[in-house]
Amino acid sequence: MNEERDRFLTEAMGMCWHDFDPDDHINTYSLEAYICKKCKGFILGNNDFSVEEDFSRLLDWVKGQKRFQKLLARFSEPDFKDAGKGQSARDKFADELYLFLKQ
Ligand SMILES: [Zn+2]
């Protein structure tokens, strides 16, 4: 997980990069949850864009914006869901998006 990248992208999406104490969790059902000190939300953790579930939110955000279409066109969408190369494809896309936005 690339935390600096994921924090930057989360905030670029207008979402909260949650601030929580990892030692202070609430056990709920079988999940470990936290309360964010910033948004007061009940959360499971921060975005990790190498993970498919979090990545799909990033991809939806990217797809809705014209400025990202050139970058998106260099990738093949099925790769992001591929069981084998999916994680590296998602990481590579998130890395390039991060560099693009940092410019
Ligand atoms: Zn938060």
Side-chain angles (χ1 to χ4, degrees), residues 80-99:
F80 297 142
K81 296 177 186 293
D82 190 88
K85 59 186 171 184
Q87 185 171 350
S88 66
R90 293 189 295 269
D91 255 331
K92 189 169 190 300
F93 182 80
D95 284 347
E96 292 205 14
L97 182 64
Y98 175 59
L99 291 175

Side-chain angles (χ1 to χ4, degrees), residues 1 5-6 9-10 13 15 17-18 44-61 90 94:
M1 169 171 187
R5 178 198 73 195
D6 291 347
L9 293 176
T10 296
M13 290 163 75
M15 295 166 69
W17 181 256
H18 304 302
L44 299 177
N46 275 309
N47 285 322
D48 176 351
F49 294 122
S50 64
V51 173
E52 193 173 344
E53 188 189 338
D54 292 339
F55 184 85
S56 68
R57 284 195 294 271
L58 180 69
L59 191 60
D60 285 345
W61 180 73
R90 293 189 295 269

Side-chain angles (χ1 to χ4, degrees), residues 16-19 36-41 43 46:
C16 176
W17 181 256
H18 304 302
D19 180 14
C36 171
K37 293 172 194 165
K38 283 195 277 181
C39 69
K40 313 293 178 200
I43 57 152
N46 275 309

